[in-house]
Amino acid sequence: MMEEKKRGRDFAREMTRGRRIFLFCFAASAAALVIYAALFFYLYLDRPVFVRHYLDLEFPQAAAAAENAEGELDGDAGGIESEADDGVPNYIHPLEFRMYYLTERFDRRIVSTVIFEEAPELSFRADENTGGPWFFMDNGETEIGIPCGRYSVRSVNMSLLETMDFRELGDVTLSRARVLFSDGTEMNADMGKLILRQPEENSSERLHSDRAEASSDGTGSESFVASENLRFAGLEERMLAEMNGLWSIQINGDEYTEAVGKEYEMGKLIKVSFAVQVPEAERRFDIYDARPCLLFENEHGRQRRMELNNLNYYGPYAGDGVSAVKYVKAREAE
Amino acid sequence: MSEKYKVVFWGLFLTTVHINLGSIQLLPPFIALLIVYAGLGGLFSISDLNEFKTARTFCLIAAAANLSGWAAALVGPVLGRQLGEGLSSGVYIICEMGLFYFLLTGSARAFLAPDLPRSALWAGRENNAGHSGPEAAMDEKFVFYQGRAVLITVVFGIVNVGLIIGSALYLETLLWLVMLAGFIVQIWMLVLVHGLDKAWRAELPPGDPAVISEMGNRMDGEVQTAEKDPEFEER
């Protein structure tokens, strides 16, 4: 009888212990669900965040200008009509670039139109890339963009429509845009700084590198043999402030700031090394494609320019879910 | 009891294994959960154990949560859809944990209920304490299923917390790991329910433990023999 009672007590104790453990697990799961809801609202993006684009771009070169440019077409542009009937020149290279933004992964809207406030007369065709990785499927729908933690990074191919003579505009800096989406909504976005400058007319000033290399870690170099005696005069760069602390440029091992005034004899190899650092999380998704120009002078004071084309950083491909949250929060706080 | 466990087993099986036709799920979990609900109702009506009733409540809430998740998926706005799906999934997995716990504790208690038909399978066994007879076997089964209920709850609790936090932050590696663990728990649960079905398959009538003990001793683990025994069938 005593044994029966003890047995009963043991089982009751066992069940009480089990019930307590269940209640603890239940409470922990419920607390996690509350945290989920809180995090959801904290991280929820009610509108997309466009990354800041620091791009140095050239307007398309008109066929007539290209014909005039020394050595560019070498007189073989006879087949290209320099101007259409409506007075708009024919262009030989279109202006295309990509714009990126972060949005909720479930957001099915796509960008349909982008109008820059600084130059509304410029018409761009905005074509969002809607293809995502095939293995990210949600209810039978392919995910749009690159998944990045809670958000996804979307990209929009931008093409400048050649509807006018861009030479009338001079150099243009774009930063504010009105973006229209496929569902009819629109927003104003800070796009960073897009410089659209007129193409160089006189290519004889340009120094071309004999050898160039660039690595995915952000380092690279360009080198050339000086065809005349040259003196380094400085760096022409429109985005020094924006790229502050992100890059370093060395000429034959000297920092470019220390190399100003330095002379390089004819026949000597000039190697320009550069490196771009990954910015802190608050700037990690931004895009930098600065194209700084190294300015040299020959003995007669004529300027020679060397453009660095590989000094760039494309943040949308380098960020992860945590840095995406930090980036979005930093942008929202601005 | 065995028949009811069979129903519960198939219901749980269909919540675990999804049959899809393209992107359309042929048997959504909420329908499968209604099958479990029916099975639990049967278990409650036979045993009158409150645990099965509580498990049934969790089952019903889980089915409602799953149904609302489906409804949320059809809602257009991003906020409603994403939040609705997330919350309904969270409620679903919490209720599934409750369902598993109460199903197993109820099943454990059923082995101790004197007025239930006793399983011939356990008769005549001897437990660790040296006690023999059907009670000893039933005690063992109680301890086994009560222990599994606690263990499954702890694992499920960890999986739930990981799944909910992983979903909030889209931590994909964590999500993959906890989803795998969750799948293993569900398979484990299926094995346990199948074990319960087997345990109650060869039922002895309720009544005098001495008779059961005698019968159990005669069978001494020979379940198949017991099932064929005309005397057993008569009883």
Side-chain angles (χ1 to χ4, degrees):
Chain A
M1 196 62 182
M2 286 288 284
E3 201 174 305
E4 278 296 306
K5 272 188 179 172
K6 186 179 173 294
R7 178 173 157 254
R9 273 202 306 272
D10 285 348
F11 288 160
R13 202 178 299 130
E14 192 91 358
M15 292 196 74
T16 310
R17 190 177 66 101
R19 185 67 65 95
R20 279 187 190 143
I21 290 170
F22 168 73
L23 285 175
F24 175 77
C25 292
F26 187 83
S29 302
L33 198 59
V34 172
I35 292 169
Y36 168 85
L39 274 174
F40 183 89
F41 282 110
Y42 176 68
L43 300 174
Y44 181 72
L45 276 179
D46 54 353
R47 59 182 204 161
V49 172
F50 277 79
V51 308
R52 280 167 301 209
H53 303 73
Y54 297 107
L55 303 176
D56 192 347
L57 305 162
E58 272 189 5
F59 273 116
Q61 193 167 33
E67 274 181 63
N68 296 334
E70 265 180 65
E72 281 290 310
L73 294 175
D74 214 14
D76 290 338
I80 303 172
E81 292 293 330
S82 62
E83 199 169 285
D85 295 339
D86 55 1
V88 177
N90 285 327
Y91 295 97
I92 55 169
H93 292 299
L95 171 62
E96 292 173 338
F97 60 95
R98 255 184 198 186
M99 286 195 343
Y100 295 85
Y101 67 95
L102 287 154
T103 190
E104 290 284 333
R105 284 173 76 157
F106 278 73
D107 195 349
R108 301 280 165 198
R109 293 178 297 180
I110 56 168
V111 170
S112 58
T113 309
V114 179
I115 301 161
F116 287 95
E117 287 176 12
E118 291 85 355
E121 65 272 32
L122 290 177
S123 302
F124 288 91
R125 188 178 70 227
D127 184 16
E128 179 154 347
N129 295 303
T130 50
W134 65 269
F135 46 87
F136 284 102
M137 303 289 275
D138 167 60
N139 293 341
E141 295 168 330
T142 307
E143 189 160 321
I144 304 172
I146 308 161
C148 193
R150 186 199 161 96
Y151 308 120
S152 77
V153 179
R154 311 284 173 86
S155 62
V156 184
N157 292 322
M158 298 286 289
S159 315
L160 179 62
L161 297 176
E162 293 158 356
T163 54
M164 60 180 293
D165 189 349
F166 300 124
R167 287 170 295 190
E168 295 167 5
L169 295 170
D171 291 352
V172 177
T173 302
L174 309 172
S175 59
R176 303 279 319 158
R178 195 154 61 89
V179 183
L180 282 80
F181 292 92
S182 54
D183 65 345
T185 55
E186 62 175 79
M187 65 175 281
N188 291 318
D190 172 11
M191 290 292 182
K193 190 175 174 184
L194 289 94
I195 296 172
L196 272 65
R197 50 191 170 82
Q198 297 297 329
E200 285 176 37
E201 291 284 327
N202 189 355
S203 65
S204 65
E205 286 182 0
R206 195 175 281 189
L207 289 168
H208 295 280
S209 60
D210 302 321
R211 187 178 165 186
E213 57 187 22
S215 166
S216 57
D217 66 359
T219 59
S221 68
E222 291 192 28
S223 47
F224 65 97
V225 177
S227 55
E228 55 190 328
N229 290 334
L230 293 172
R231 187 179 67 83
F232 180 59
L235 187 79
E236 182 190 88
E237 173 47 52
R238 297 167 181 84
M239 292 194 208
L240 272 178
E242 287 79 6
M243 284 195 76
N244 186 29
L246 292 185
W247 65 359
S248 67
I249 297 175
Q250 292 183 331
I251 303 169
N252 285 358
D254 301 322
E255 282 298 323
Y256 80 91
T257 46
E258 293 164 11
V260 177
K262 209 164 184 179
E263 292 183 352
Y264 302 92
E265 287 173 13
M266 187 172 75
K268 193 179 176 185
L269 182 78
I270 300 177
K271 184 176 180 180
V272 182
S273 313
F274 53 84
V276 183
Q277 291 164 5
V278 175
E280 65 274 22
E282 287 74 17
R283 294 167 72 188
R284 194 159 298 164
F285 281 81
D286 292 339
I287 290 171
Y288 299 92
D289 196 347
R291 298 176 197 277
C293 225
L294 299 168
L295 303 177
F296 292 90
E297 280 177 3
N298 67 8
E299 293 161 321
H300 311 292
R302 273 198 78 179
Q303 201 176 63
R304 296 281 184 259
R305 301 159 63 84
M306 183 190 183
E307 195 174 82
L308 293 178
N309 291 316
N310 291 314
L311 192 76
N312 48 40
Y313 168 77
Y314 284 85
Y317 298 107
D320 54 20
V322 177
S323 58
V325 170
K326 284 183 181 172
Y327 181 82
V328 164
K329 288 293 151 196
R331 291 294 306 275
E332 281 178 348
E334 282 172 4
Chain B
M1 291 288 273
S2 169
E3 286 305 311
K4 307 303 172 196
Y5 277 118
K6 258 196 193 78
V7 176
V8 171
F9 174 85
W10 283 110
L12 289 178
F13 178 81
L14 291 170
T15 60
T16 310
V17 181
H18 298 168
I19 304 158
N20 288 3
L21 188 69
S23 60
I24 302 161
Q25 206 171 334
L26 287 183
L27 197 64
F30 66 85
I31 293 175
L33 282 168
L34 293 179
I35 298 172
V36 178
Y37 182 81
L40 288 168
L43 287 172
F44 175 67
S45 64
I46 295 171
S47 65
D48 208 26
L49 287 168
N50 276 335
E51 279 80 359
F52 291 128
K53 204 176 166 185
T54 316
R56 221 156 64 118
T57 310
F58 275 114
C59 186
L60 204 60
I61 301 170
N66 184 252
L67 185 63
S68 67
W70 272 59
L74 301 174
V75 175
V78 178
L79 176 67
R81 177 178 174 171
Q82 208 168 339
L83 184 64
E85 281 190 342
L87 287 179
S88 61
S89 304
V91 172
Y92 176 83
I93 55 172
I94 291 173
C95 289
E96 205 176 28
M97 182 178 74
L99 162 66
F100 287 5
Y101 174 78
F102 284 102
L103 172 60
L104 288 177
T105 47
S107 302
R109 271 195 70 191
F111 285 109
L112 301 179
D115 51 344
L116 279 179
R118 317 303 292 266
S119 168
L121 194 64
W122 319 116
R125 295 268 181 86
E126 190 172 282
N127 70 5
N128 293 336
H131 304 298
S132 61
E135 277 73 23
M138 294 295 165
D139 289 0
E140 247 178 39
K141 283 290 123 183
F142 168 81
V143 172
F144 176 81
Y145 281 103
Q146 180 63 29
R148 291 301 175 275
V150 171
L151 202 56
I152 263 192
T153 303
V154 170
V155 177
F156 219 120
I158 295 167
V159 166
N160 282 359
V161 172
L163 204 58
I164 293 167
I165 298 297
S167 304
L169 299 170
Y170 275 94
L171 305 172
E172 272 165 20
T173 312
L174 177 66
L175 279 175
W176 277 109
L177 283 175
V178 293
M179 278 162 76
L180 181 69
F183 183 69
I184 290 168
V185 169
Q186 284 188 315
I187 299 292
W188 186 14
M189 190 64 199
L190 284 174
V191 171
L192 289 172
V193 174
H194 182 64
L196 285 163
D197 166 28
K198 264 176 70 178
W200 289 97
R201 206 170 287 167
E203 286 175 356
L204 292 177
D208 184 0
V211 176
I212 300 163
S213 182
E214 187 195 336
M215 180 170 280
N217 286 333
R218 270 203 299 119
M219 292 190 302
D220 200 18
E222 296 291 331
V223 183
Q224 286 81 5
T225 319
E227 282 174 341
K228 288 169 190 167
D229 189 345
E231 192 183 348
F232 165 70
E233 278 177 9
E234 274 169 31
R235 279 170 194 268

